[in-house]
Amino acid sequence: MKLALISLAKDDLDGQGPIALLPLFAGTLLDLQIQAAQRIGCEKFVFLCPATHGALLQKIDEMKQLGFDAEYVRSPSDLVQYASEQDHIVYMADGIIPNDEIIGQLGAAPQELLFTVLHAEEYQEFERIDLNQRWLGILSLNASRLVAMIDIPDEWEIGSALLRTAVQADCPRAIISDRRMGAGAVSHIQSALSAGQYTRRKLKEMPWGKDNFLNRFLLRPLIKRSLPRLWRKKAAPQYLQIFSLVAGLAAIGLAAFGYAIAAIGLLFFGSVAQLARTTMLQFDGTAMGRDWTAMGLDLIVAASVAILMLQDSDAVTLLPNLVIFALLLAHLLLLRGVSANSRFALIRPDLRLLLLVLLVAAIFGPISYGIYAAALYAGMTLVLDRYPAKKPTIPKDRRGG
């Protein structure tokens, strides 16, 4: 079994409490360390904290309610109880966040590793091992070596005690190069300032992938700028979820009374809120299964537009409108199977873009015109996506034979 040892022994540089409890993303820095430990494969979580903190106790209670094995210890000698030949420990020091590459290395078969960096004079924020190397605050060690902790004075910092044990045991060292350090192999957060810098860097590096022009140039930049404010509210994803569904249900009511512009406007903003919620959950590493909120919103949008279409139709136009509306729904289902890296991703319609088309139509004319335009737009996108790309011609003087 793998055990995660996560340190909360050092306070941040502002003296506001343990570094691990600094706000970061939708939770705290500790949440990111726990997520990293889960990806490594740790089944038990031990928090190393000399002083009792209410926030840590609350976090442990939350983890236990979710079925995790979690507890905390106060001194190095308390770690002896976890000494076992069958178990393995992964230690993360205060404020240390490993990147995906190191997480993958630690997630493999258990092996003893002491993560270090060369050029000791250039990385003074990390603890020195010798004249050439410094320790990066990450250690993979057989749990049986925790027996050595019984001889360590309780006033010793646990990380330094573990480092001493690993060095004396001649633990193999995994040296991280300057290039990998520059690419963010290990992030070392010590204060609210460095937490803010880390957040801005991760936002800058956040991969959006190919997207249509509405998302790429308007919605995603706005969401990206709003995320730091949203993360300050832990319940922000729930608020966005509630807003999306309430806006959708209100749109159905407005559609029933014939207020097309107001109904479609609410659907559009509800869909934007759902996009922001999905981005928050994706960015902070929350495991996402099937998004029932998004599916429910899709059904609400379809119901609202159908109501508006029926109100806009008469005996002569009802059947053609129903056919076009069904065609639009079929196009939307087919578009979900189109690769996000399509050549025409910039104009590929999604729910928000088609709602914008319907909103413009509702402002300047009957909603049925918007349904026709949306169906035509979606259909043309599907045709363009399946049109074979033109192969580059080879000049005659470069052809073989």
Side-chain angles (χ1 to χ4, degrees):
M1 179 174 69
K2 286 184 180 180
L3 291 80
L5 301 182
I6 302 176
S7 178
L8 289 86
K10 295 181 180 180
D11 287 348
D12 62 66
L13 297 181
D14 303 317
Q16 300 299 316
I19 295 173
L21 298 181
L22 283 170
L24 200 65
F25 305 156
T28 62
L29 191 153
L30 179 62
D31 292 323
L32 289 189
Q33 292 179 312
I34 292 172
Q35 290 168 16
Q38 287 178 296
R39 293 171 59 191
I40 290 169
C42 296
E43 302 173 45
K44 184 179 181 64
F45 300 83
V46 180
F47 303 103
L48 315 174
C49 190
T52 304
H53 293 277
L56 175 60
L57 296 178
Q58 182 179 358
K59 184 63 181 179
I60 291 175
D61 288 339
E62 291 176 0
M63 294 180 69
K64 288 182 176 179
Q65 291 175 7
L66 294 173
F68 293 105
D69 188 356
E71 53 190 85
Y72 79 99
V73 298
R74 294 190 177 188
S75 64
S77 58
D78 292 335
L79 292 176
V80 177
Q81 60 184 302
Y82 304 108
S84 170
E85 289 287 349
Q86 292 76 35
D87 296 335
H88 201 83
I89 65 169
V90 175
Y91 173 80
M92 282 183 277
D94 298 86
I96 296 297
I97 304 176
N99 72 350
D100 291 343
E101 186 177 356
I102 293 179
I103 289 174
Q105 191 172 353
L106 291 170
Q111 57 180 323
E112 293 193 320
L113 285 176
L114 180 66
F115 287 82
T116 66
V117 64
L118 295 175
H119 311 300
E121 297 302 324
E122 299 179 16
Y123 296 95
Q124 296 187 15
E125 68 271 26
F126 297 107
E127 187 170 353
R128 182 189 289 274
I129 299 177
D130 51 37
L131 291 176
N132 297 317
Q133 297 185 40
R134 287 183 182 267
W135 178 43
L136 292 176
I138 305 172
L139 174 65
S140 177
L141 202 64
N142 190 284
S144 62
R145 299 198 186 277
L146 294 177
V147 173
M149 295 292 102
I150 198 169
D151 297 324
I152 301 295
D154 285 349
E155 63 269 17
W156 275 44
E157 198 269 315
I158 294 180
S160 297
L162 284 170
L163 175 60
R164 174 185 171 181
T165 299
V167 172
Q168 289 179 343
D170 199 20
C171 181
R173 300 181 184 183
I175 300 175
I176 305 300
S177 66
D178 290 341
R179 180 186 61 80
R180 290 176 63 189
M181 288 296 294
V186 175
S187 299
H188 189 198
I189 298 174
Q190 305 177 71
S191 64
L193 177 61
S194 55
Q197 292 171 343
Y198 176 80
T199 297
R200 287 190 292 272
R201 186 173 77 249
K202 298 302 287 186
L203 280 172
K204 185 177 180 181
E205 297 171 354
M206 185 175 184
W208 295 108
K210 292 186 177 181
D211 216 335
N212 63 48
F213 63 91
L214 177 64
N215 292 332
R216 184 182 300 183
F217 301 117
L218 179 61
L219 297 183
R220 291 206 184 272
L222 287 175
I223 292 173
K224 193 173 182 178
R225 294 184 63 179
S226 302
L227 281 178
R229 295 185 180 89
L230 291 173
W231 280 324
R232 293 173 192 162
K233 303 291 184 181
K234 191 172 183 180
Q238 288 75 27
Y239 293 152
L240 291 171
Q241 181 182 37
I242 293 171
F243 175 80
S244 297
L245 295 176
V246 170
L249 294 174
I252 290 181
L254 290 172
F257 287 99
Y259 297 107
I261 297 175
I264 298 175
L266 273 177
L267 291 173
F268 177 78
F269 287 112
S271 181
V272 172
Q274 170 60 20
L275 177 63
R277 171 179 171 269
T278 302
T279 303
M280 287 189 70
L281 297 179
Q282 179 183 6
F283 190 90
D284 64 22
T286 303
M288 290 189 65
R290 180 169 294 181
D291 195 339
W292 296 105
T293 302
M295 296 177 63
L297 188 60
D298 290 345
L299 293 175
I300 289 173
V301 169
S304 301
V305 175
I307 292 172
L308 292 173
M309 181 202 65
L310 292 174
Q311 291 182 341
D312 190 53
S313 303
D314 53 29
V316 176
T317 60
L318 178 59
L319 183 58
N321 286 348
L322 285 173
V323 172
I324 298 300
F325 181 67
L327 191 62
L328 173 60
L329 295 180
H331 286 167
L332 288 175
L333 291 175
L334 291 173
L335 280 170
R336 292 192 174 186
V338 175
S339 171
N341 295 319
S342 166
R343 291 175 295 144
F344 301 97
L346 192 63
I347 61 171
R348 180 176 180 267
D350 60 4
L351 183 62
R352 285 164 295 281
L353 188 51
L354 294 182
L355 282 172
L356 195 59
V357 171
L358 294 176
L359 182 59
V360 172
I363 293 173
F364 294 102
I367 188 68
S368 57
Y369 290 177
I371 295 175
Y372 292 172
L376 181 61
Y377 181 22
M380 287 180 61
T381 305
L382 286 170
V383 172
L384 289 173
D385 182 71
R386 283 158 176 74
Y387 189 81
K390 184 178 179 181
K391 296 182 179 179
T393 57
I394 303 175
K396 290 183 180 180
D397 57 349
R398 294 186 181 181
R399 294 176 184 172

